[in-house]
Amino acid sequence: MPQTTTSPTTTLRMTTSGGTLVLAPGFQEPGAGRGGHHPRSGAGTHGAAAAARRRDRPPGPYARLFRTPGARAFTAGNLIARLPMGMFNVSAVIMIAGQRGSYALAGAVTATGLAASALVAPWTARLVDRYGQARIAVPATAFAVLGSLALLLCVRYEAPDWTLFAAYAATATTPNTGGMSRARWAHLHRGDADALHTANSFEQAADELCFMLGPVLAAFLCSALFPEAGTLVGAALLLTGVLTFAAQRATEPPVSRGASRRSPLRTPRMVRMLAVFLATGAVFGAMEVVTIAFADGPAAGVVLALQAAGSCAAGLAYGRARRTPRLRTCLAAMAALMTLPLLAATLTGSLLAVAGALLVAGMATAPTMVTGMGMIQRLTPEGQLNEGMTLAVTALLGGVAAGAAAGGWTVERAGAAHGYAIPALAAAMALVFAGLLHRSGPTKGPTDAAGHHCST
């Protein structure tokens, strides 16, 4: 039996060279045993097996969603285009109030822009459905960007007040990029209800994220650089995002030549569904105004961001759920949770308690919006999906304006703490409208591409 002498790093082994027996150095890994095998080599085997199991594990719903060819590209463009939606109003208010010294004028100009959007957006969406996303969205965006730049120039060079209203009204042609993105998901995953649910949940979480980051970014740019910076950056992001989004032609839904030219408003139960969105928007509008008044300082932005963060997290979690509740159940949960900020404000008067209550209450909003948007998609006639979803967004924005006005009126007369009664009442009203929607006809309405029925 050959004898071997070992050291921590080398071995001496017997071998032959030209028929002569010699000793030759050999190298061995420290701690290795007989035959050069490491005593922990079993751990490597187990690690390889674990890695193999991870590779064989089916991907999660979001991983499957973004494995769709072209999904990442159009989503990136859409997120860039959607971020300015939370920037423009804040930027306009800071810019106009800073240059003209009037918050009343700034508020009136932004309200005019909102009203113009409510009138123009459904027509823009109808053109998108009829002629295609790229063909309509790009020139509509270019016109809206020119409106933003015109507003900037009118403010900077002290043009008459009426020019501010005209310029900001021109931005109403901004296309509903969120609706166009949802239309692409509906086209790509037609017949796959689970994938569509995940996609709608992701889109709602993206909405929350953009409306959470947009105002913060706008305020930072306008204060750190110059008052027009928020509008300039927002216009650049919008144009860049829409151009990137529109360039992804492979995922664009085809134009449906045989689609109905009647408005989706004539679809049974659509108007009642839009009433639900109107009341839900009032929840958001009132909550924002009342929270700003209650915090009365820079902490208001952080507190509102907590509410949006809770909604964003809930939306992403909701997208992973296999079983989802009906719309009435979501609205009932939202109505119940919206009482928490009211209780925290009136019983404790603590901003920290209100912030915690808003974080929890915000978790009900994304599931409600995801379920509501799913209802809108199923109620909308084929080939008019973008128009149907834009109508929902228009109703939502109308509710935001009404809620903001009601919240401000209540704060002035009853105090900020009692102002939290307005979002709670608006949520209860949305639940009532959902009940009317249920009683307006059978619970099983039009079916989606997967054969699932509309249900409240």
Side-chain angles (χ1 to χ4, degrees):
M1 189 76 177
Q3 299 296 316
T4 302
T5 304
T6 64
S7 71
T9 57
T10 62
T11 62
L12 292 178
R13 58 188 178 84
M14 289 187 176
T15 184
T16 57
S17 177
T20 305
L21 189 66
V22 297
L23 290 175
F27 297 94
Q28 190 172 23
E29 193 176 322
R34 291 180 180 272
H37 295 296
H38 197 285
R40 297 181 62 186
S41 61
T45 303
H46 292 309
R53 284 195 298 271
R54 284 194 297 272
R55 286 194 301 270
D56 295 338
R57 185 183 303 164
Y62 289 105
R64 289 197 300 272
L65 190 68
F66 287 102
R67 285 184 178 181
T68 306
R72 296 181 182 181
F74 84 73
T75 298
N78 184 261
L79 291 177
I80 295 171
R82 206 183 303 188
L83 180 62
M85 297 302 101
M87 296 177 61
F88 282 130
N89 279 352
V90 173
S91 298
V93 168
I94 294 175
M95 180 173 63
I96 295 171
Q99 294 287 335
R100 300 295 177 94
S102 173
Y103 279 99
L105 176 62
V109 169
T110 54
T112 299
L114 182 62
S117 295
L119 294 174
V120 175
W123 291 99
T124 305
R126 178 174 291 190
L127 292 174
V128 168
D129 285 328
R130 186 174 298 183
Y131 298 107
Q133 293 184 353
R135 190 174 176 184
I136 299 300
V138 173
T141 300
F143 191 84
V145 167
L146 289 176
S148 293
L149 297 178
L151 175 68
L152 185 153
L153 294 174
C154 289
V155 172
R156 186 170 183 84
Y157 293 102
E158 300 182 354
D161 289 350
W162 67 265
T163 62
L164 309 186
F165 291 91
Y168 206 57
T171 65
T173 61
T174 303
N176 178 14
T177 52
M180 291 192 297
S181 184
R182 287 178 172 92
R184 292 200 180 208
W185 290 121
H187 166 62
L188 293 173
H189 297 286
R190 183 177 179 83
D192 189 343
D194 291 338
L196 287 177
H197 169 71
T198 302
N200 284 333
S201 299
F202 169 78
E203 292 296 328
Q204 186 59 40
D207 279 340
E208 300 290 348
L209 184 64
C210 291
F211 278 99
M212 177 175 63
L213 297 179
V216 176
L217 178 59
F220 171 76
L221 290 172
C222 292
S223 58
L225 300 179
F226 48 91
E228 298 87 358
T231 299
L232 278 175
V233 172
L237 287 174
L238 176 62
L239 187 59
T240 301
V242 170
L243 287 174
T244 303
F245 179 84
Q248 314 308 315
R249 301 301 294 269
T251 55
E252 182 177 348
V255 176
S256 180
R257 298 296 180 186
S260 171
R261 297 303 175 222
R262 297 175 60 189
S263 170
L265 289 172
R266 298 186 180 184
T267 304
R269 304 198 299 167
M270 176 64 83
V271 173
R272 289 183 174 88
M273 191 64 209
L274 294 180
V276 173
F277 274 83
L278 186 71
T280 304
V283 174
F284 304 147
M287 190 71 75
E288 180 174 303
V289 171
V290 174
T291 300
I292 291 172
F294 187 85
D296 193 24
V302 178
V303 175
L304 288 171
L306 280 176
Q307 180 193 358
S311 182
C312 181
L316 292 174
Y318 193 65
R320 301 179 66 91
R322 293 183 177 274
R323 299 183 63 184
T324 56
R326 294 183 174 187
L327 179 60
R328 283 176 296 165
T329 305
C330 293
L331 286 169
M334 185 172 72
L337 291 179
M338 284 299 160
T339 62
L340 296 180
L342 175 62
L343 294 174
T346 54
L347 296 180
T348 70
S350 167
L351 182 60
L352 187 61
V354 170
L358 286 173
L359 176 65
V360 176
M363 293 179 182
T365 59
T368 301
M369 293 300 300
V370 170
T371 308
M373 277 296 183
M375 283 286 296
I376 291 291
Q377 290 180 24
R378 293 191 288 271
L379 287 170
T380 302
E382 186 177 358
Q384 296 179 280
L385 187 57
N386 197 66
E387 184 179 356
M389 287 188 291
T390 300
L391 286 171
V393 172
T394 300
L396 195 70
L397 292 177
V400 168
W409 185 89
T410 306
V411 166
E412 288 289 334
R413 286 158 178 78
H418 291 91
Y420 282 110
I422 300 301
L425 290 173
M429 189 177 297
L431 180 59
V432 170
F433 287 149
L436 294 175
L437 178 69
H438 172 65
R439 285 195 285 272
S440 66
T443 55
K444 291 184 178 181
T447 57
D448 62 10
H452 295 105
H453 291 277
C454 296
S455 177
T456 57

